[in-house]
Amino acid sequence: MGNEAARLELGGNASDYKVLSGTVGPDVVDIRKLYANTGAFTYDPGFTSTASCESKITYIDGDEGVLLHRGYPIDQLAEQSSFMEVAYLLLNGELPSKDKLDSFTRTISRHTMLHEQLATFYRGFRRDAHPMAIMCGVVGALSAFYHDSTDINDPYQRMVASHRLIAKMPTIAAMAYKYSVGQPFIYPDNTLSYTGNFLRMTFGVPAEEYVVDPVVEAAMDKIFTLHADHEQNASTSTVRLAGSSGANPFACIAAGIACLWGPAHGGANEAALNMLREIGTVDRIPEYIARAKNKDDPFRLMGFGHRVYKNYDPRAKVMQKTANEVLERLGVKDPIFDVARELEQIALNDPYFVEKKLYPNVDFYSGVILSAIGFPTTMFTVLFALARTVGWVAQWNEMISDPEQKIGRPRQLYTGATFRDYVPVDKR
Ligand code: SDX
């Protein structure tokens, strides 16, 4: 950590604060004593200038369009690694040997089944319930079934809960889909890969054998890797904040799922595809570009812009390449892919988007691929949550083990009524 200081002059008094340096990225000013020294709070709605924690898991450089997981760039991981290997890397900090990866994958595969009574839990939902609503409910309910892995102070139980969450999310997601289409749940088949197992549970039926298409399996696995973790985004910060109170891991991940659902965050992939379908044809793009620029119109180009990336989202580049591969392999001619590519070109050359540094993000192309594979748009954010569970669990474990972490409790700038006496109703 660095040793220079930052001086704050306030109300005629000066106070100094340590400046800490990471291995890469912006320095931070340690302001933990600021309130005690000055009686003032910092003010940073949306935390645009706030580092909430120290972490070794993911590094993002928004200006350079860089995303590293434990130092490895996302494009290399997406092209050369696998989601299971990336899960191991995020959780443990290093790429595994073949034996360690095999052992980790076997452990995960042994946790893919759900307690049988949870199947009954699904039947309490309406058939037309949004799969994200089901996922929020079912994941939160896991703590009612797996009491033997809720003690967050026991490292062994933390590991078991982490493995259970990573392993059961595909089963939960597939069951949410099956329930919505009125088909029977398909049990996991652990002879398949993590992603192949998920595809079979989702698209397989008891009436016939399901053969995993290796191209679709590879594309899905790559999409999971691209969504695995992303530093202290809104849903990860939600998981950390929930975890800081000592809540059990299943409840914390359910909180993360709820936050991810928002259209400004993980819900953007569903919203982006719905937007592309609404635009429909290339000739209608200018109308929507104009709406996105109109301050009086709440419409935004879904899949564009990012709090951190002020350059191209590196995940979007890999996603566009994968979309090309999958559509070609499946022989899908989806006009919305043409609309997406044309919209991207127009937006990237429009002064409004150039000036505001709005580029396609991870959500812009993912829906085109997921739609081509056969997922309904309502399942898109479920798939994002499935993949992001690995990052949430890794960040949750890091937070629990961090000696500097305490219960998260932000303060506020209060602008409401000051002290006043109660007035009985007959005197108002
Ligand atoms: C994810 O944080 C993460 O890491 C998230 C994520 C992850 O992996 O966890 O990367 C996943 O959530 C990706 C983002 C998905 N969301 C969308 O695609 C929804 C559309 N995008 C916007 O809602 C917006 O860009 C955000 C929410 C993503 C970012 O919001 P910011 O950084 O707070 O940007 P802003 O709202 O301050 O916008 C800056 C300006 C504004 O104009 P002015 O007020 O300065 O005039 O840019 C405009 C905005 O109106 N703007 C857009 C726009 N996004 C921002 N205008 C049109 N279309 C857009 N998409």
Side-chain angles (χ1 to χ4, degrees):
M1 300 299 189
N3 48 25
E4 66 173 298
R7 165 153 296 198
L8 178 71
E9 307 250 343
L10 186 63
N13 299 311
S15 47
D16 291 331
Y17 301 90
K18 263 197 264 174
V19 176
L20 309 177
S21 304
T23 45
V24 65
D27 288 346
V28 299
V29 178
D30 183 344
I31 55 160
R32 281 174 285 189
K33 295 265 184 288
L34 184 138
Y35 177 55
N37 292 341
T38 67
F41 295 137
T42 60
Y43 183 64
D44 186 15
F47 310 119
T48 46
S49 301
T50 295
S52 62
C53 63
E54 177 186 338
S55 180
K56 297 176 169 47
I57 298 174
T58 291
Y59 173 70
I60 301 171
D61 182 327
D63 295 327
E64 299 300 318
V66 169
L67 166 55
L68 307 177
H69 289 320
R70 301 287 192 179
Y72 298 99
I74 188 63
D75 56 325
Q76 291 184 25
L77 291 172
E79 296 301 339
Q80 302 177 53
S81 183
S82 69
F83 183 62
M84 274 295 98
E85 185 172 76
V86 169
Y88 182 98
L89 173 67
L90 290 171
L91 280 169
N92 299 293
E94 297 295 334
L95 288 170
S97 65
K98 181 153 181 355
D99 290 349
K100 282 189 177 167
L101 178 60
D102 291 347
S103 162
F104 176 74
T105 305
R106 222 177 2 264
T107 300
I108 296 295
S109 70
R110 302 300 298 273
H111 285 286
T112 49
M113 285 182 70
L114 271 192
H115 190 294
E116 194 62 14
Q117 274 178 242
L118 269 162
T120 319
F121 193 91
Y122 277 80
R123 293 191 172 86
F125 291 100
R126 289 172 37 154
R127 286 281 179 182
D128 62 353
H130 194 293
M132 278 301 281
I134 296 178
M135 184 169 254
C136 284
V138 171
V139 173
L142 293 178
S143 48
F145 288 84
Y146 298 105
H147 306 104
D148 60 340
S149 60
T150 52
D151 176 358
I152 61 152
N153 299 305
D154 174 351
Y156 177 76
Q157 291 197 31
R158 289 206 301 269
M159 183 191 64
V160 172
S162 303
H163 292 163
R164 277 174 165 158
L165 280 158
I166 293 169
K168 296 180 192 306
M169 287 301 269
T171 312
I172 292 167
M175 288 171 73
Y177 171 70
K178 284 305 198 191
Y179 188 70
S180 70
V181 294
Q183 290 182 358
F185 298 138
I186 301 286
Y187 287 112
D189 170 356
N190 293 337
T191 63
L192 298 172
S193 72
Y194 180 90
T195 302
N197 209 355
F198 168 65
L199 289 169
R200 179 179 166 277
M201 287 190 284
T202 304
F203 297 118
V205 289
E208 53 195 48
E209 194 200 350
Y210 178 83
V211 178
V212 178
D213 178 329
V215 171
V216 171
E217 182 182 24
M220 202 68 237
D221 199 73
K222 200 180 283 184
I223 288 173
F224 287 158
T225 293
L226 291 171
H227 288 83
D229 190 53
H230 212 240
E231 199 211 66
Q232 304 313 318
N233 59 83
S235 53
T236 297
S237 300
T238 301
V239 169
R240 279 180 171 261
L241 194 57
S244 73
S245 75
N248 75 70
F250 304 108
C252 295
I253 300 304
I257 294 170
C259 176
L260 185 77
W261 195 1
H265 189 13
N269 54 15
E270 175 178 356
L273 197 90
N274 290 337
M275 174 192 74
L276 291 171
R277 289 207 194 293
E278 185 185 326
I279 294 172
T281 53
V282 169
D283 62 305
R284 293 190 63 204
I285 290 175
E287 171 196 337
Y288 284 83
I289 294 275
R291 284 188 59 194
K293 291 162 33 176
N294 177 357
K295 282 285 153 241
D296 301 327
D297 187 333
F299 173 79
R300 284 192 164 182
L301 281 187
M302 300 317 280
F304 267 79
H306 199 276
R307 169 59 57 78
V308 175
Y309 289 124
K310 298 310 170 192
N311 193 323
Y312 216 96
D313 181 336
R315 301 167 295 177
K317 279 201 174 74
V318 181
M319 204 66 91
Q320 186 192 48
K321 181 169 172 284
T322 308
N324 264 317
E325 289 164 3
V326 171
L327 291 177
E328 210 169 288
R329 169 71 178 72
L330 298 179
V332 170
K333 284 260 170 277
D334 192 339
I336 59 164
F337 191 39
D338 301 328
V339 172
R341 280 188 295 206
E342 185 62 19
L343 174 58
E344 178 188 2
Q345 285 316 308
I346 294 174
L348 293 186
N349 294 293
D350 183 298
Y352 174 91
F353 295 95
V354 173
E355 176 211 313
K356 293 185 185 297
K357 301 186 175 183
L358 300 176
Y359 292 88
N361 57 46
V362 67
D363 295 307
F364 186 62
Y365 281 108
S366 56
V368 173
I369 306 170
L370 297 175
S371 177
I373 292 174
F375 292 102
T377 49
T378 51
M379 278 295 288
F380 290 5
T381 311
V382 168
L383 300 174
F384 194 149
L386 186 165
R388 187 52 58 87
T389 296
V390 163
W392 288 332
V393 160
Q395 299 268 356
W396 173 77
N397 276 293
E398 183 179 65
M399 181 217 49
I400 298 278
S401 320
D402 181 348
E404 304 233 320
Q405 278 297 323
K406 48 180 67 175
I407 186 164
R409 204 317 188 174
R411 302 302 303 274
Q412 64 183 6
L413 170 66
Y414 179 70
T415 55
T418 53
F419 181 89
R420 52 184 172 168
D421 288 319
Y422 179 77
V423 179
V425 66
D426 54 2
K427 294 199 172 10
R428 287 175 209 159

